[in-house]
Amino acid sequence: MTMACSRRLRRLRPGLTLLAALTVAATFALRGTLLATPPSPAGCHAASPLLAGPRPARPPPSPPTLAEIEMRNGALWSGGFYSPPGCQARHRTAIVIPYRSRLAHLRYLLDHLHPFLQRQRIHYGIYVVEQWGQGTFNKGILLNAGIVEVLRDADWSCVILHDVDLLAEDDRNTYTCDNYNPTHLSVAIDKFDYRLLYREYFGGVVALTPEQLRKMNGFSNQYWGWGREDDDLWKRVGLSGMKVVRPSVKVARYKMIKHERDPGNEENPHNFDVLKRTELDWRSDGLNSLSYKFLSKERKALFTHITIDVGEKQT
Ligand code: UD2
Ligand code: MN
């Protein structure tokens, strides 16, 4: 899919490390005011009465159109935001989807995720962070840039980094953050027989607070192409004094929409060498050394579309 991304260079995110570090620090320190949510009485119930428990995902042969999904989600604000009516949400969650050329998957995900999150009665926003151009995909830079831009956009208490092709299959898998430790939400995926792949596995859907992201310096920027950036993220959690927490394998179930490896995201054997250096590099390789070009931010009906130029493959 070529989501038309205007080359309007509205703002350059200068590549200078110092400036980038200041930008990142300012973002974390001066987080924007929360998108105006209508004042409302008492807090939302601890557990939403709308939760429906296990709901196997059965995507239809072809995904609904964006217009059809929009029709089904009339309570959204422009940009893909939602606040539960009649109560003050206890959680403010931003869903950040790394993205390039996966429109069919995005339509499946939006059609699935909006009602899923509304049943959980959280205040949320969905952001699609698209890598501009046909260069080698870099999920780490894309998500670091997404984190900076999203926290500049509003005062989110939880950031969920979400593969575009994963559909949650149980309403009780709440899209909120643990106050102390990063959460691995995609524990049991059909592709892996609904079992945890390995103890250090931290791919797919992860939930972190802005404070946790700052503590672990976000993602590494050094992983070009497919593989290992999620293993690096696992190591950063431990190296920064935290530990990964997970919902039960019974609840944290997902369906992964089948797909081949994407052009521009071929496996990169060099990533194994990068992973060997995490202990040495993590403090200086991440949010504090991030360099990208901000190209555009558009409020679409079902999501906010941010387009980023991650630059050319370095290794
Ligand atoms: C696994 C991880 C994923 C990542 C990847 C290694 C799981 C469930 N997921 O997924 O988090 O660590 O291994 O890099 O274990 N994407 C695009 N367009 C592209 C390429 C990637 O949109 O051209 C995005 C998209 O959101 C996708 C994600 O990046 O879901 C990960 O890429 P993948 O789905 O090809 O990787 P996969 O399924 O092996
Ligand atoms: Mn995938």
Side-chain angles (χ1 to χ4, degrees), residues 153-174:
D153 196 47
D155 180 25
W156 302 109
S157 60
C158 179
V159 178
I160 296 190
L161 306 153
H162 203 300
D163 280 7
V164 75
D165 52 28
L166 288 178
L167 306 178
E169 294 194 294
D170 193 314
D171 277 6
R172 294 166 297 174
N173 195 9
T174 50

Side-chain angles (χ1 to χ4, degrees), residues 1 63-64 69 97 99-112 163-167 256-260 262:
M1 108 76 183
I69 304 166
I97 304 166
Y99 179 89
R100 186 170 68 180
S101 308
R102 289 275 195 108
L103 182 55
H105 291 182
L106 181 61
R107 284 159 48 188
Y108 278 127
L109 179 61
L110 291 170
D111 190 41
H112 181 84
D163 280 7
V164 75
D165 52 28
L166 288 178
L167 306 178
M256 185 192 286
I257 304 167
K258 287 193 180 30
H259 64 81
E260 302 303 319
D262 300 279

Side-chain angles (χ1 to χ4, degrees), residues 46-261:
S48 162
L50 308 174
L51 297 186
R55 293 167 65 96
R58 295 195 181 85
S62 58
T65 64
L66 292 175
E68 284 166 342
I69 304 166
E70 205 181 314
M71 295 282 283
R72 297 172 189 162
N73 289 280
L76 295 180
W77 307 333
S78 167
F81 303 103
Y82 174 83
S83 207
C87 68
Q88 179 70 40
R90 295 180 312 135
H91 303 281
R92 302 184 310 280
T93 301
I95 315 285
V96 179
I97 304 166
Y99 179 89
R100 186 170 68 180
S101 308
R102 289 275 195 108
L103 182 55
H105 291 182
L106 181 61
R107 284 159 48 188
Y108 278 127
L109 179 61
L110 291 170
D111 190 41
H112 181 84
L113 200 49
H114 275 300
F116 171 85
L117 293 169
Q118 290 166 35
R119 288 196 296 272
Q120 294 194 351
R121 283 155 66 86
I122 51 176
H123 174 84
Y124 72 87
I126 295 185
Y127 294 84
V128 172
V129 184
E130 181 173 7
Q131 179 170 328
W132 175 82
Q134 304 308 317
T136 303
F137 199 72
N138 186 314
K139 190 180 146 205
I141 295 180
L142 200 54
L143 287 177
N144 278 341
I147 290 160
V148 170
E149 295 300 332
V150 155
L151 292 178
R152 177 177 285 127
D153 196 47
D155 180 25
W156 302 109
S157 60
C158 179
V159 178
I160 296 190
L161 306 153
H162 203 300
D163 280 7
V164 75
D165 52 28
L166 288 178
L167 306 178
E169 294 194 294
D170 193 314
D171 277 6
R172 294 166 297 174
N173 195 9
T174 50
Y175 273 36
T176 56
C177 283
D178 179 275
N179 287 332
Y180 306 100
N181 291 296
T183 309
H184 185 209
L185 290 173
S186 54
V187 179
I189 300 176
D190 63 337
K191 178 179 174 183
F192 311 122
D193 298 327
Y194 288 109
R195 280 175 304 158
L196 179 65
L197 214 44
Y198 48 91
R199 190 178 73 84
E200 301 79 7
Y201 174 56
F202 198 37
V205 183
V206 296
L208 299 100
T209 64
E211 185 47 32
Q212 291 162 10
L213 284 161
R214 191 196 55 71
K215 248 175 109 173
M216 54 198 277
N217 197 15
F219 286 77
S220 163
N221 301 312
Q222 297 185 69
Y223 290 83
W224 292 90
W226 186 93
R228 311 290 151 246
E229 94 290 332
D230 47 357
D231 297 321
D232 184 289
L233 197 72
W234 167 278
K235 289 170 78 173
R236 285 165 177 250
V237 172
L239 290 165
S240 54
M242 298 184 285
K243 66 177 174 46
V244 169
V245 293
R246 293 185 173 109
S248 90
V249 72
K250 286 197 204 64
V251 166
R253 290 166 64 95
Y254 283 78
K255 173 175 192 48
M256 185 192 286
I257 304 167
K258 287 193 180 30
H259 64 81
E260 302 303 319
R261 188 62 38 75

